[in-house]
């Protein structure tokens, strides 16, 4: 499994954009980069995933570096409901997710 | 995710007891997973099943067993519970197709005294 490095914690002001970084320098060419988040007292939920190109959906955007050794999850306008632990997970095909410790995002009103 | 239901939501029991945690899903997914989460840590995989006849060990399967009774049901058992199995347990499902997201239940909080 590719190893990932994420900041332990980050803080953002409400309604500001948030950029959550992830380093995955050992990623293989077929690993997709998945992002999940876990809100307090809930199971993880899928946010977004991509392989090489930048990806957008209703929740977030994913910017993937050209060499694929890093990626950034972008929340365009943080809300209090976005306070959660965010996990960056390189994944081959449909293998089970392997979770690290993630980044705990705090959003300040 | 309301389509993945875990029961019970909370359980307190004693050392040595046999415990079963149940997971059912209405998503029609073939693949199901059991994870545990300890405070401050990410989830760790216990067992997973790619279809009814398939069971695979995960990273931390010792002390646990599973049963895939049907496509929609996947149970996790602790044959003789011990205090260090106190944790939050999550069930997840995913579709057979490649790179599909995993969908998680809301978890079972298990305390072993």
């Amino acid at each position: 499994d590719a190893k990932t490095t994420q900041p332990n914690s980050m803080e953002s002001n409400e309604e500001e954009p948030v950029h959550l970084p992830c380093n995955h320098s050992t990623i293989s060419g077929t690993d997709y980069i998945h992002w999940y988040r876990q809100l307090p007292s809930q199971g993880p939920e899928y946010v977004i995933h991509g392989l090489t190109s930048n990806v957008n959906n209703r929740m977030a955007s994913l910017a993937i570096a050209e060499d694929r050794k890093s990626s950034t999850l972008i929340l365009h306008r943080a809300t209090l409901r976005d306070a959660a632990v965010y996990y960056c997970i390189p994944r081959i095909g449909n293998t089970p997710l392997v979770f690290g410790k993630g980044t705990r995002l705090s959003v300040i009103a | 995710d309301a389509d993945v239901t875990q029961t019970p939501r909370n359980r307190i029991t004693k050392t040595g007891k046999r415990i079963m945690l149940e997971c059912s899903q209405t998503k029609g997914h073939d693949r199901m997973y059991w994870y545990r989460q300890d405070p401050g840590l990410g989830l760790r995989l216990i067992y997973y099943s790619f279809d009814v006849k398939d069971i695979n060990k995960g990273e931390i399967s010792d002390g646990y067993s599973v049963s895939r009774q049907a496509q929609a049901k996947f149970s996790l058992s602790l044959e003789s519970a011990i205090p260090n199995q106190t944790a939050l347990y999550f069930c997840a499902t995913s579709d057979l197709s490649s790179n599909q997201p995993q969908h998680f239940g809301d978890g079972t909080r298990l305390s072993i005294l």
Side-chain angles (χ1 to χ4, degrees):
Chain A
D1 299 322
K3 293 193 183 299
T4 59
T5 302
Q6 297 180 254
N8 289 332
S9 62
M10 291 183 64
E11 210 170 73
S12 172
N13 294 317
E14 197 177 12
E15 299 189 6
E16 295 287 322
V18 182
H19 291 231
L20 296 160
C22 180
N23 288 321
H24 31 76
S25 58
T26 60
I27 197 169
S28 75
T30 54
D31 289 354
Y32 277 71
I33 300 152
H34 289 246
W35 283 81
Y36 282 71
R37 72 179 186 181
Q38 187 174 18
L39 280 65
S41 301
Q42 293 187 24
E45 68 171 336
Y46 168 79
V47 177
I48 199 167
H49 76 284
L51 183 62
T52 55
S53 304
N54 294 343
V55 184
N56 301 292
N57 67 20
R58 64 174 180 81
M59 290 180 70
S61 295
L62 176 60
I64 301 171
E66 197 170 331
D67 63 6
R68 295 195 355 107
K69 293 183 185 300
S70 65
S71 61
T72 302
L73 180 70
I74 302 165
L75 307 179
H76 295 286
R77 288 182 69 221
T79 70
L80 297 178
R81 288 173 299 198
D82 291 320
V85 178
Y86 287 79
Y87 298 99
C88 161
I89 306 173
R91 185 185 187 198
I92 301 172
N94 221 4
T95 56
L97 296 171
V98 177
F99 289 81
K101 294 183 180 179
T103 297
R104 181 174 299 278
L105 175 66
S106 301
V107 180
I108 302 167
Chain B
D1 191 326
D3 298 323
V4 182
T5 303
Q6 293 185 233
T7 54
R9 293 295 315 278
N10 293 281
R11 179 79 184 266
I12 300 173
T13 190
K14 294 181 179 179
T15 298
K17 294 289 188 182
R18 184 178 188 274
I19 307 297
M20 180 180 286
L21 308 183
E22 300 191 356
C23 177
S24 63
Q25 52 117 345
T26 59
K27 301 187 79 70
H29 288 165
D30 288 303
R31 302 183 178 212
M32 298 187 73
Y33 312 81
W34 275 104
Y35 291 85
R36 70 175 272 177
Q37 185 173 33
D38 295 282
L41 300 180
L43 282 69
R44 290 184 292 167
L45 184 66
I46 306 172
Y47 271 97
Y48 60 104
S49 168
F50 283 173
D51 64 40
V52 175
K53 297 179 181 178
D54 176 79
I55 300 289
N56 303 281
K57 292 183 177 181
E59 178 189 353
I60 52 164
S61 59
D62 287 349
Y64 301 95
S65 62
V66 290
S67 173
R68 184 80 185 268
Q69 301 95 321
Q71 186 202 40
K73 295 184 183 297
F74 193 35
S75 300
L76 176 72
S77 294
L78 289 67
E79 296 301 326
S80 179
I82 56 177
N84 74 4
Q85 291 177 311
T86 293
L88 196 51
Y89 289 84
F90 289 102
C91 174
T93 74
S94 68
D95 188 60
L96 188 63
S97 306
S98 184
N99 264 300
Q100 293 302 302
Q102 288 184 204
H103 300 264
F104 288 80
D106 286 333
T108 293
R109 187 171 297 279
L110 179 62
S111 297
I112 300 164
L113 306 178

